[in-house]
Amino acid sequence: MKHRIVVLGAGYAGAFAAGNLARRLSPADTEITVVNAVPDFVERMRLHQLASGQDLALRKLADVFAGTAVRLRLARVTGIDPEHRTVAVTGEDGEDELAYDTLLYALGSSVAHHGVPGVAEHAFDVTGRSSALRLRERLAGLGAGGTVLVVGEGLTGIETATEFAEARPDLSVALAARGELGAWLSPKARRHLRRAFDRLGVTVHEHTGIEAVEPTRAIAADGSSIPADVTVWTAGFAVHPIAAAGGLEVAETGQIVVDRTMRSVSHPDIYAAGDCAYAIGENGRPLPMSCASAGFTNMQATAAIIARLTGSEVPAVGLKYYGNHISLGRRDAIFQMVDGDVRSKSWYLGGKTAARLKSGVLKGAALGIAHPTFGMPKLKRRLAAATDRPGVRVAA
């Protein structure tokens, strides 16, 4: 009986992981299935561009995994049962269960409302393709002088505000920040960021927490209101409670608590990668929810799965951040280097060169997804005997 590997989610972490597993493991011994709710790969790092009116190339997952031996199951994950090693899904054919021997949980994250009244009803977000398209339609209907408020001063908020301001100079774009804009950046990079906001005409409301969202305005903590025909919520991410409901050990955030190899500390047959993994970096701090973390964690998870299944020593993939890369529209960007404690170094790269670098990163990620088994080795690794594989069930 083949060893059944099921990958939940085909975002950056899940799609890369599935391709890497197919590239390294022999199909004579393994069966790899990817479960995803939608048929297309979603370039989440570019959804603010999609919302602003740009058209992004669609990549069908069926085409991505064609010829790779990876099976694609289009369905929504509704639950996991670690005791019986099954995943409950709902798709076009109704409800079903998938059995697994090794599970890689990479379902990502969605927008975090933080219980703020009116966010769910009135605010937009750019955490999914459908929500970005909904926002795109709303922005297209705004006439000259329309007001857009982006809530959140993180990377997503900055990129969204600057993208909208550049793409729609006829709109009045503002950003509400709980603290100081770009406070984590070096002084020079912070000045660059402020110059970009001034150049694009983005109004910044610093030290302004939003306590409620209404159809045409947002209410700040001090009781003042900010006009907003459209409010875009970028104030953090949240994971789905499926893992917690299934009995896995999770952090307060709902993320799966994993060891250094991305293996669940409570269920050794389950690995996690991407935003849903509560992983500790080399600096002793939890990795933030980000595309960079998706890269680190999916590489470590797949390396660990391959090593344990083939009876090899598990390698350690570096879990160290080197910098933040922030787009400021299409022609400007900031690349900020950080030290081991994720504190900004004095050096940064900005302007058109940084923008070209960011564009290259996005294109490289898309290319990697489009060719998941590129560079496939001629001799794939066979699995070790089941009795030699810790945590692997021996088929009856």
Side-chain angles (χ1 to χ4, degrees), residues 74-266:
L74 293 178
R76 181 171 57 87
V77 178
T78 57
I80 57 175
D81 184 350
E83 181 68 22
H84 297 94
R85 294 182 183 177
T86 59
V87 178
V89 300
T90 299
E92 292 183 353
D93 300 326
E95 297 180 353
D96 196 8
E97 282 190 347
L98 301 178
Y100 66 85
D101 297 303
T102 297
L103 180 70
L104 177 54
Y105 190 107
L107 289 177
S109 63
S110 58
V111 65
H113 295 163
H114 301 301
V116 176
V119 172
E121 297 83 3
H122 306 303
F124 295 79
D125 67 82
V126 290
T127 58
R129 180 175 174 82
S130 60
S131 60
L133 287 173
R134 176 172 163 262
L135 173 56
R136 176 186 176 123
E137 183 178 2
R138 179 71 181 96
L139 291 174
L142 280 184
T147 54
V148 178
L149 175 66
V150 178
V151 180
E153 69 272 27
L155 304 184
T156 303
I158 291 173
E159 292 195 334
T160 299
T162 53
E163 188 75 38
F164 288 1
E166 181 179 89
R168 291 290 306 274
D170 60 316
L171 299 179
S172 176
V173 180
L175 181 143
R178 279 191 171 275
E180 179 186 352
L181 178 67
W184 73 93
L185 295 171
S186 64
K188 291 182 179 179
R190 199 178 310 140
R191 287 194 293 271
H192 185 114
L193 177 64
R194 289 187 176 279
R195 286 196 300 268
F197 268 61
D198 290 342
R199 172 174 54 82
L200 294 169
V202 179
T203 301
V204 181
H205 302 276
E206 293 184 311
H207 308 289
T208 303
I210 299 301
E211 299 294 324
V213 176
E214 297 180 357
T216 59
R217 65 176 185 169
I219 308 301
D222 61 4
S224 62
S225 66
I226 302 174
D229 296 314
V230 175
T231 297
V232 185
W233 195 262
T234 66
F237 306 112
V239 299
H240 199 284
I242 287 177
L248 276 71
E249 182 173 337
V250 299
E252 291 183 1
T253 58
Q255 296 168 288
I256 299 172
V257 180
V258 296
D259 63 16
R260 180 59 178 75
T261 68
M262 303 305 126
R263 196 182 205 178
S264 165
V265 298
S266 60

Side-chain angles (χ1 to χ4, degrees), residues 62-77:
D63 296 335
V64 166
F65 293 121
T68 66
V70 173
R71 301 181 179 186
L72 175 64
R73 180 67 180 272
L74 293 178
R76 181 171 57 87
V77 178

Side-chain angles (χ1 to χ4, degrees), residues 6 26 31 36 63 85 94 119 147 167 174 186 201 215 243 251 264 273 284 308 318 325 335 385 387:
V6 175
S26 171
E31 178 182 289
N36 202 60
D63 296 335
R85 294 182 183 177
V119 172
T147 54
S186 64
S264 165
R308 290 190 172 113
H325 206 160
F335 182 66
T387 52

